[in-house]
Every structure is written in structure tokens, then in C-alpha cells.
């Protein structure tokens, strides 16, 4: 099951510049890159998150 969760981020200018640069390196927009980045982080910590959610 997939859920859409609206997340609003307000990066400082240096963070925004880095996100823009890294997104461009992958041929993505900033929103797409940020989503990819969050998904990558979640997949690496899936066991920890499952444990937290269950308890």
C-alpha cells in the first residue's frame, strides 16, 4: 500500500543550491530528487522504523 504524505521543506540558500546541483546530476527536479532521497533513507532504516512503529 502506498501513501502520499505532503512534506514541506524550506532549505536555506546553501542547501537549496546543493539540492539543485545533486538533482541535476541525476537528471531530476528538486522535488523528485528529495522524494528519491527520502525513499533511500527509509529503505536503509526499514528495520528500525518497523520496530519503532510496532512499539
Amino acid at each position: 500500500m502506498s501513501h502520499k504524505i505532503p512534506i514541506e521543506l524550506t532549505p536555506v540558500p546553501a542547501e537549496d543550491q546543493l539540492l539543485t546541483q545533486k538533482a541535476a546530476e541525476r537528471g531530476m527536479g528538486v522535488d523528485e530528487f528529495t522524494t528519491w532521497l527520502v525513499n533511500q533513507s527509509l529503505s536503509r532504516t526499514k528495520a528500525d522504523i518497523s520496530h519503532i512503529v510496532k512499539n
Side-chain angles (χ1 to χ4, degrees), residues 11-53:
V12 297
E15 293 167 333
D16 190 49
Q17 184 178 16
L18 181 60
L19 285 170
T20 302
Q21 175 190 339
K22 294 298 182 181
E25 289 173 8
R26 287 191 155 68
M28 301 176 177
V30 173
D31 289 345
E32 183 182 11
F33 176 71
T34 304
T35 300
W36 175 83
L37 190 60
V38 169
N39 284 329
Q40 290 296 307
S41 297
L42 289 173
S43 69
R44 292 180 185 172
T45 60
K46 189 175 182 179
D48 291 338
I49 291 171
S50 294
H51 179 74
I52 291 167
V53 169

